[in-house]
Every structure is written in C-alpha cells, then in structure tokens.
Amino acid sequence: MNNNTPQSVGYTKIYDYDPDLSSHPMPPHLHAVPDTANNRLDGYLLRFERLLNVTFRSLMILAGLGLALLMFTQVVLRYLLNSPFSGIEEASILLAVWIYFLGMGYATREREHIHGGIVSLVVKDPYKVKLIRFIGSITCMLAAILFGYFACKYALKEIDKGRVSINLRWPRGIWSASMIVGFAMMVGYFLLETINEWRDIRRMKRSQKGA
C-alpha cells in the first residue's frame, strides 16, 4: 500500500487516546441518533427526528443570517448615519441566545460536546468501556434535566409575569423560551444516545455469549 496516499479528511484521527473517537465519522453506536431503525416504531421516531433536525438547523441558519444583518445595519446606523437604534441590540441578543441554545442541543445530537478519553486509557475491556459510556450518558441526561428544570422555571416565570424588553417592548418570554427548547433538545438527544448505547451493549453481550 502506498504510504504517500493522502487520507480522507473525514477519517482524520483526532483523539488518538480513544479508538472509537479517533475516526470521523464516529461509529454509529456513539451517535445520539442511530443510522437504521430496528422496528417500525424506530422508523417513525427517526423520521420525526429528521424533521426536527431540519427545522432546528434551518432556525439556526436563519438566526445566524439575521444576526449578521442586524449587526451590519447597526454599524451603518451608528458610524455612517450617526443614528444608532438600541432596539437592534435587543433583537441581536434575542437571535444570539436562540443560536446558542439551539446549538447546544444540536451539539448533543452530533456528540460534539466536550468529553474526555481517560476511560480508554485505564479500562481496556471494550464491554466495560461501553458500560461506562452508558452510565456517563445517563448522568449527562440527569444533569440536563436538573439544569433544564431551573431554566424552564425561570423562563416560565418570565412568561407568566408578562415582562417586556426595554426598547422594543417585546415579551421577554421570547428570549427565555430558547432555554426551554435548548434543554429539551439536550434531554431528548441524551435519551436517544442512552437507548442507542444500551442496545449496543446488549448486542456485544449476545455476541460474546455466542462466541
């Protein structure tokens, strides 16, 4: 084999300490969303998830474009026309927080959130590594539920009291609702990830017994 042949960028090794995380795209069992459906219910859920994914990605793209346009408009108003409008800054913050929380959920879907590989350095048994990852996914899901509870509690309080922004007089619940959506995405994708990893553990256990 020619060693001078360049490797595909899609399979560039990044995490050399963890074999499963070294290749991109990562193995299907490490993704929150499985590649194939095991039954009819899985098929419905996957199609629904794909619809949500397209919706959320479209919202992030539109929000990002809108934020760029607003910032450009504010620069023109402030430095060329010497007539800045503070309402644009409120709208920019609105789009920014929605991008942030939607991105938080999307990073969970793609498993691009921060994680370490010390488990693979200490534990060499693949089955135990998968089991530890499964426990880690459950822990992350519980943490997302906890933080999401307090975020939703605050957001619902803002919505219930009918608070409005200073300049645009828009309901502050529009800003706060981004937290509800973001944490709901995180919990949902961590749940899918947990189910996917549990199925992978069961498959490995059956294959070990068959061997």
Side-chain angles (χ1 to χ4, degrees):
M1 181 177 178
N2 187 3
N3 294 328
N4 295 326
T5 303
Q7 293 183 350
S8 172
V9 175
Y11 292 91
T12 300
K13 288 191 174 183
I14 299 177
Y15 307 102
D16 289 332
Y17 50 78
D18 193 329
D20 278 337
L21 299 178
S22 294
S23 60
H24 279 236
M26 289 185 291
H29 66 277
L30 290 181
H31 287 284
V33 182
D35 291 343
T36 57
N38 294 324
N39 50 55
R40 182 176 296 180
L41 178 60
D42 280 359
Y44 292 141
L45 291 176
L46 286 178
R47 283 195 289 270
F48 178 67
E49 191 282 326
R50 291 191 189 102
L51 176 62
L52 289 180
N53 181 45
V54 171
T55 302
F56 291 142
R57 289 182 64 180
S58 300
L59 287 175
M60 283 191 291
I61 293 172
L62 291 176
L65 293 175
L67 180 59
L69 179 61
L70 285 178
M71 297 304 294
F72 176 76
T73 303
Q74 183 70 324
V75 169
V76 172
L77 291 176
R78 182 183 295 273
Y79 296 105
L80 295 182
L81 302 180
N82 198 24
S83 179
F85 177 48
S86 56
I88 291 181
E89 296 180 1
E90 286 186 354
S92 299
I93 295 174
L94 170 63
L95 293 176
V97 295
W98 271 97
I99 292 173
Y100 176 83
F101 284 104
L102 287 173
M104 181 178 71
Y106 187 75
T108 306
R109 180 189 189 272
E110 297 297 313
R111 196 153 182 160
E112 293 294 336
H113 46 279
I114 297 174
H115 45 70
I118 192 171
V119 171
S120 298
L121 294 176
V122 178
V123 182
K124 300 302 181 182
D125 185 356
Y127 179 78
K128 291 180 180 179
V129 171
K130 294 179 186 296
L131 192 60
I132 293 173
R133 283 205 182 115
F134 172 71
I135 295 173
S137 296
I138 292 178
T139 304
C140 290
M141 183 179 65
L142 294 177
I145 291 174
L146 178 62
F147 291 120
Y149 167 76
F150 290 107
C152 292
K153 188 175 180 181
Y154 170 79
L156 293 175
K157 181 180 178 181
E158 290 280 297
I159 296 172
D160 184 59
K161 290 193 173 183
R163 294 175 179 173
V164 296
S165 61
I166 297 175
N167 296 290
L168 296 175
R169 310 303 295 174
W170 289 355
R172 291 181 61 87
I174 303 176
W175 282 259
S176 303
S178 62
M179 294 189 293
I180 299 177
V181 175
F183 279 105
M185 289 175 66
M186 282 192 73
V187 173
Y189 284 125
F190 273 130
L191 177 60
L192 288 175
E193 182 179 296
T194 302
I195 295 172
N196 203 23
E197 290 178 340
W198 173 248
R199 287 176 173 176
D200 188 58
I201 290 173
R202 292 182 62 187
R203 283 194 297 267
M204 173 174 278
K205 195 170 183 179
R206 285 196 297 265
S207 63
Q208 289 177 346
K209 287 182 178 179

